[in-house]
Amino acid sequence: QVQLVESGGGLVQAGGSLRLSCAASGRTFRNYAVGWFRQAPGKEREFVAAISWSGGTTWYTDSVKGRFTISRDNAKNTVYLQMNSLKPEDTAVYYCAAKSDGTLDIRDPRLYNYWGQGTQVTVSS
């Protein structure tokens, strides 16, 4: 079983930066893609970014492209989400999730097998 723990959330002013971390235990991330999703009050869970097991391929939703960067350090079993130029609309609970690499539709949360507990990101205007 893979257990995921997010950290790094908090309160930041618009234009600021945060770095989220997703640490895995129980098993390594070997052969797993990792994604970040977010959910704001009253809204559906939304895909944010994902990274392949090798780290060689990344995906981003259009609203964060150019501002957010996903990366991973497999030796540390950790995935990061660097968030720059934050906007109030980025406010949400952010979740990391893992799925078997190679499965279809990297953006579909239904295909992810393991989820963290979430970390709150609040961006003030």
Side-chain angles (χ1 to χ4, degrees):
Q1 181 176 326
V2 175
Q3 298 181 49
L4 306 176
V5 178
E6 302 99 331
S7 62
L11 175 64
V12 65
Q13 289 187 301
S17 298
L18 288 171
R19 188 177 75 161
L20 306 183
S21 298
C22 175
S25 62
R27 291 196 291 175
T28 71
F29 280 141
R30 185 174 180 83
N31 296 325
Y32 277 82
V34 175
W36 286 95
F37 296 80
R38 64 188 181 188
Q39 188 165 23
K43 297 183 179 179
E44 296 295 317
R45 189 164 297 186
E46 175 190 23
F47 170 80
V48 177
I51 188 167
S52 63
W53 170 73
S54 69
T57 307
T58 58
W59 300 261
Y60 299 93
T61 192
D62 287 344
S63 64
V64 309
K65 193 170 185 178
R67 299 189 297 122
F68 292 9
T69 302
I70 189 170
S71 61
R72 70 189 300 166
D73 185 342
N74 287 343
K76 297 181 178 179
N77 290 327
T78 301
V79 173
Y80 305 96
L81 185 68
Q82 178 67 47
M83 306 186 296
N84 298 326
S85 301
L86 283 162
K87 304 175 181 179
E89 52 261 44
D90 296 318
T91 295
V93 177
Y94 282 70
Y95 300 88
C96 68
K99 75 176 188 72
S100 298
D101 209 1
T103 56
L104 297 176
D105 199 348
I106 199 74
R107 301 170 183 267
D108 188 352
R110 297 172 297 179
L111 300 182
Y112 285 76
N113 307 105
Y114 304 100
W115 292 83
Q117 83 289 347
T119 185
Q120 176 72 48
V121 172
T122 303
V123 184
S124 63
S125 60

